[in-house]
Amino acid sequence: MKKALLTIFALFIFAISALPQSQSTTGNIVGRVIDANGALVPNVTVNATNRDTGFAKTAQTDGEGNYLFILLPPGNYVVEVLATQGFAAAKYENVLVTVGSKTSLVITLNAGGSENVVNVESGGQAVETTRSSISSTVDERRVQNLPTNGRNFLDFAVLTPGVVRDPTRSGDLAVGGQKGTLNSIQIDGASSDNTFFGQSSGRIGSGRAPSQFSIDTVKEFQVNQNGFSAEFGRAAGAVINVVTKSGTNRITGSAFEFFRDESLNARNPNLVSANRPRPAGQINQFGGTVGGPIKKDKTFFFFAYEGQRSDLPNPVVLRSLPFAPIEAQNIIGPKAQPYDISREQDTFLAKIDVNLNEKNQLWFRFNNQDFTGTNLENAGTLSAEEHTGNSNVKTSTITSNWTTTLTPNWINEFRFQYSRDREPGQANTNDPETSVTASAGGINDGTFNFGRNNFSPRETLINRYQFIDNQTYLMGNHTLKYGADILIDRIFNFFPGLFGGSFTFTSYANLVAKTPSRFRQSFGGAGTTGGTTRPNNNEYGFFVQDDWHAAQNITVNLGLRYDYQRIKRPPIQNPDPNLLSAGFDTSFRPSDKNNIAPRVGISYAFNDKTVLRGGYGIFYGRTPAIMTGTAHSQNGIQV
C-alpha cells in the first residue's frame, strides 16, 4: 500500500505539470479552412464556442490549412473565423460534438463581402472520416424520448448493432458474443464497474437495483465495440462511456411521474382461459431535475432526484400439498403462503462545473443510490417467505476533474474518484434450510424450499480510489496521447455458504419421518476468518496513442497499452503433503505481467459521406474478485 501511495503521489505531481486529452468524456472538431476555389488557407484563427455554457477555445490553422479542437465537452458549438487576409468572416452554427467523436468540419472563406453563415444541422448527420474504431453513440435526444422499462440507461445500449442482453446472466450486456463480465462501464471518465461480481456498480439491471442514477441525468453515452483506442482498457468486450449532464446559462428543469397498476393492464390469454384475475402489482417512478448558472459563463449547477417504488406479489404454488400426509400439510401449509416482493429506491446526483479561466476548468459530481429490495434474496413459486430476505444496495460516488491548457497544443486532464458500493443480503430466519420434493397425488411440483437459504446473510463492500491522468501533445499532423490509470479496490466479502445447514428430503413422507437423504453444513476453520475474505484488487494501466493524419483522407491510429492487475495473495497454505506434492498450493497468487496490447487502426475517406475503416488490437479483461475470494476461502482449512 505504501508503494501504491508513493506512485499515486508521483502521478499527481506529474499530472499538474503535464498535458492530456481523454475521449471518454469529450469530443473533437477537426477540419481545414479553404477558399471558394478549394485552396488551403493557412495561419488563420478559428474559434469554437459552446452555445449553452459560453466555453470557448481557439485554434490556428497550420501551413496546410488544418485545425483541431480537442477536449471539447459534448454539446452544440458555433465555429467561426473572423474577417482576415481579405476574406469575409465565416460562422458555422449547430456543430454537434458528441462523446468520443471527431466531428469533421471544412470551413469555406469567401473573398470580401458579408459574413458567411452556415447551419451545419440542416446538412444532416456527418460521417466521422478520421475515426477507425467501431462505436455507436446514443445522444441526448434519444435518451429523452425513447421509452425504457425500469429507466436504466444501459437499456439503450441494445439499440446498437451487436449488443444484446447476456442470456447467461441477468442484467449483463453481451457485445459481439462476449460475456458481460468482459465489458467496462465509465461514468464521466471514471470506472463504474463492480470488480467483485464483474458487473456495473450497484449491479443495476440484474433484478435488484433498477438504476444507479436517474436516466434524466444522462447527456449521452457511447458504446465502443471494436478497435477502440489504447486509452481504453480492462475490457475484452466493450467500453461504454457515459457523460452526465451539466448546468448551462439557462435555468432548466423537469419533473415526471410514471405509474403502473394491475387495473391498467389487459389480461393475457392464459389468464382469460383459466378465468383468473390479473395479478396484483404496482410500480411508481417519480423525480425531477434542475440546472442553471451560478455565475454566467463561469459556474453552473445541476441536480437530479429519482424515486422508484414497486410492490409485486410472489405466489407460492403447491398443487400436490392437499394430497400429502396431514403431518406434512401441518408443517408446510403455514410456510406456503404468498408474500410480497417490493423495491424501494432513491437516487440523487449533484454536479458543479467551474470555468476558472481560459486555461483551467473544474467539475465535481456526487451521486448516491439507496435501494431496499424486500424479500428479493430468493423468490419463486417454490420458495417460502422465510427462504428469502432483503437484498439491499447503497452506492456513493465522488468524482472530480481538472483540465489545464498550458499551450494551444499542450493540455492536461487529471481525474479522481472515490466510490463505495455496499450490497448486503439479509435472511428472514435462522432455521436450517430444508428442501423437499413436493410430489403427491400424481402431481410433482418440484423442490419446495423453506428455512434460511444457504447463501444469506451475506455482504460485499468495495471502497474504491481511482487516479487518472491522460495527456495530449499536438505535433503537426500527429496527435500524441499518453496517460496512466491507477485503480485501488479494498474489498470486504462475507459469504457463509451453508453455515446454517441444509436438509434434503426426497418426499413428504421422509419429511414427516425426519429421514433426510442428505445434510450439508460448512464451518469456519479454527483461527481463520471463516466466511469472510478480503480479495483486494489493484489495477495499473498505461497507454500511448498516436493519431496520424497521414493524408487529407487517410488517418492512421497507432497505440500501445499495458495493464497489470495485482490480486491479493490467498492468506492460507494448506499444509497437506499430498496437495503440495501434486503441485497444489492454496496460497499461490498468479502474476500476469505480460498484458501488452498493441492497437492499429486506419480510416480511408473516399469522400465526406463514405469511409472505409479497419483495425487490429489485443484486449485484456479483468479477473472478477469473486473468483479470487473463493480461492481465499475454499482451501480445505478456512471453510
Side-chain angles (χ1 to χ4, degrees):
M1 183 63 182
K2 183 178 180 181
K3 290 183 178 180
L5 290 175
L6 289 174
T7 302
I8 293 165
F9 178 75
L11 178 64
F12 177 77
I13 295 299
F14 181 59
I16 62 177
S17 62
L19 4 145
Q21 177 219 6
S22 170
Q23 289 189 340
S24 59
T25 61
T26 61
N28 297 346
I29 297 177
V30 58
R32 65 186 188 276
V33 178
I34 61 175
D35 64 17
N37 297 318
L40 301 174
V41 182
N43 303 319
V44 298
T45 300
V46 185
N47 301 306
T49 305
N50 188 301
R51 298 182 63 180
D52 295 322
T53 65
F55 174 74
K57 299 193 77 170
T58 299
Q60 193 83 8
T61 60
D62 60 17
E64 297 180 350
N66 298 311
Y67 70 91
L68 173 64
F69 291 102
I70 62 175
L71 214 66
L72 297 176
N76 200 330
Y77 284 80
V78 175
V79 179
E80 55 188 337
V81 176
L82 299 179
T84 182
Q85 300 180 19
F87 293 104
K91 178 186 289 186
Y92 286 71
E93 298 180 335
N94 297 314
V95 180
L96 185 63
V97 175
T98 59
V99 58
S101 69
K102 296 180 180 179
T103 302
S104 299
L105 179 65
V106 177
I107 299 174
T108 302
L109 300 181
N110 296 323
S114 60
E115 181 181 41
N116 179 30
V117 179
V118 179
N119 185 352
V120 176
E121 187 178 45
S122 64
Q125 186 173 359
V127 175
E128 294 182 44
T129 59
T130 61
R131 177 174 53 84
S132 61
S133 62
I134 304 299
S135 63
S136 301
T137 300
V138 179
D139 58 24
E140 184 176 4
R141 182 179 179 183
R142 284 192 284 178
V143 170
Q144 289 177 343
N145 294 299
L146 290 177
T148 57
N149 183 12
R151 293 180 57 79
N152 180 3
F153 65 85
L154 289 179
D155 290 338
F156 289 124
V158 299
L159 297 175
T160 62
V163 181
V164 298
R165 284 293 180 184
D166 191 335
T168 64
R169 190 160 71 157
S170 175
D172 287 4
L173 295 171
V175 181
Q178 298 281 4
K179 290 184 176 180
T181 55
L182 297 176
N183 299 328
S184 179
I185 300 175
Q186 298 190 46
I187 309 295
D188 290 330
S191 174
S192 186
D193 298 320
N194 182 303
T195 54
F196 185 84
F197 291 104
Q199 295 178 302
S200 60
S201 291
R203 302 177 71 192
I204 59 175
S206 62
R208 293 177 172 84
S211 61
Q212 191 177 354
F213 45 75
S214 174
I215 198 172
D216 287 354
T217 67
V218 177
K219 184 171 182 62
E220 61 187 35
F221 68 93
Q222 180 190 52
V223 181
N224 295 279
Q225 298 167 267
N226 287 298
F228 42 81
S229 164
E231 178 183 356
F232 303 120
R234 303 180 182 130
V239 175
I240 300 175
N241 296 324
V242 181
V243 176
T244 59
K245 291 181 180 178
S246 298
T248 67
N249 280 323
R250 294 186 305 157
I251 295 179
T252 59
S254 65
F256 64 89
E257 166 82 20
F258 299 101
F259 178 71
R260 295 169 59 185
D261 184 84
E262 71 273 7
S263 63
L264 304 175
N265 299 333
R267 288 198 303 167
N268 65 46
N270 293 331
L271 294 177
V272 173
S273 62
N275 195 27
R276 292 172 54 192
R278 307 177 187 89
Q282 288 187 347
I283 300 176
N284 191 19
Q285 303 165 331
F286 51 91
T289 67
V290 62
I294 297 175
K295 184 177 181 181
K296 185 178 180 181
D297 291 343
K298 287 291 185 180
T299 308
F300 311 91
F301 76 94
F302 181 82
F303 178 82
Y305 164 79
E306 180 168 315
Q308 295 201 27
R309 307 287 187 269
S310 70
D311 193 4
L312 303 173
N314 187 94
V316 177
V317 180
L318 284 176
R319 296 177 301 148
S320 62
L321 187 60
F323 304 98
I326 189 63
E327 296 89 345
Q329 295 184 38
N330 292 335
I331 296 173
I332 294 179
K335 304 177 185 297
Q337 302 301 313
Y339 54 93
D340 287 338
I341 295 176
S342 65
R343 294 173 172 85
E344 180 176 325
Q345 173 164 287
D346 294 288
T347 67
F348 67 85
L349 179 147
K351 189 175 183 181
I352 297 291
D353 292 78
V354 183
N355 293 329
L356 294 176
N357 50 49
E358 292 182 356
K359 295 184 177 182
N360 291 276
Q361 295 81 42
L362 293 170
W363 59 256
F364 304 89
R365 189 196 78 231
F366 175 73
N367 58 278
N368 186 81
Q369 169 195 21
D370 199 346
F371 171 79
T372 299
T374 303
N375 292 328
L376 206 57
E377 278 290 273
N378 202 359
T381 59
L382 292 173
S383 181
E385 183 175 7
E386 66 179 39
H387 193 249
T388 182
N390 290 0
S391 183
N392 302 333
V393 177
K394 184 175 179 62
T395 64
S396 300
T397 303
I398 300 173
T399 309
S400 63
N401 187 89
W402 177 19
T403 301
T404 302
T405 302
L406 300 181
T407 68
N409 63 338
W410 206 12
I411 304 176
N412 183 80
E413 184 182 42
F414 179 74
R415 189 175 299 120
F416 168 76
Q417 175 185 230
Y418 168 74
S419 66
R420 180 180 175 90
D421 185 344
R422 181 172 180 262
E423 301 185 26
Q426 301 170 353
N428 284 344
T429 182
N430 286 322
D431 294 338
E433 180 181 57
T434 303
S435 300
V436 182
T437 300
S439 179
I443 301 173
N444 189 344
D445 292 309
T447 301
F448 178 66
N449 298 287
F450 59 92
R452 191 178 95 183
N453 72 67
N454 60 63
F455 54 83
S456 299
R458 60 171 180 83
E459 181 174 347
T460 302
L461 171 65
I462 303 175
N463 283 308
R464 171 169 300 160
Y465 307 86
Q466 187 175 15
F467 303 82
I468 303 171
D469 185 67
N470 292 326
Q471 308 181 1
T472 293
Y473 189 66
L474 305 180
M475 300 181 299
N477 56 358
H478 291 266
T479 301
L480 182 65
K481 297 182 290 185
Y482 49 93
D485 183 347
I486 297 177
L487 185 147
I488 300 171
D489 279 350
R490 292 295 169 258
I491 303 173
F492 168 85
N493 180 52
F494 174 63
F495 187 80
L498 292 170
F499 274 36
S502 178
F503 292 95
T504 300
F505 295 91
T506 58
S507 67
Y508 287 126
N510 288 342
L511 174 66
V512 173
K514 300 181 180 180
T515 55
S517 62
R518 182 175 66 170
F519 175 75
R520 297 178 297 162
Q521 187 171 14
S522 298
F523 300 90
T528 72
T529 58
T532 298
T533 60
R534 298 183 182 274
N536 295 332
N537 179 66
N538 293 350
E539 298 180 3
Y540 308 92
F542 307 91
F543 80 94
V544 60
Q545 177 83 22
D546 181 18
D547 294 338
W548 175 31
H549 200 55
Q552 199 61 54
N553 61 340
I554 299 176
T555 301
V556 179
N557 307 117
L558 303 173
L560 185 67
R561 184 177 179 90
Y562 175 76
D563 284 295
Y564 174 57
Q565 180 181 7
R566 187 177 188 273
I567 62 178
K568 187 175 181 180
R569 181 185 299 277
I572 296 176
Q573 182 188 65
N574 191 318
D576 187 290
N578 293 323
L579 287 176
L580 295 176
S581 62
F584 293 103
D585 181 1
T586 60
S587 66
F588 171 74
R589 176 180 64 188
S591 182
D592 188 6
K593 296 183 178 180
N594 61 349
N595 294 337
I596 298 175
R599 314 279 172 87
V600 179
I602 186 171
S603 65
Y604 179 85
F606 294 94
N607 49 54
D608 60 356
K609 296 183 179 180
T610 306
V611 60
L612 178 66
R613 299 186 176 102
Y616 166 83
I618 296 177
F619 307 87
Y620 294 94
R622 60 161 56 95
T623 299
I626 191 172
M627 298 178 65
T628 56
T630 302
H632 281 211
S633 61
Q634 302 298 314
N635 47 42
I637 295 178
Q638 183 162 332
V639 175

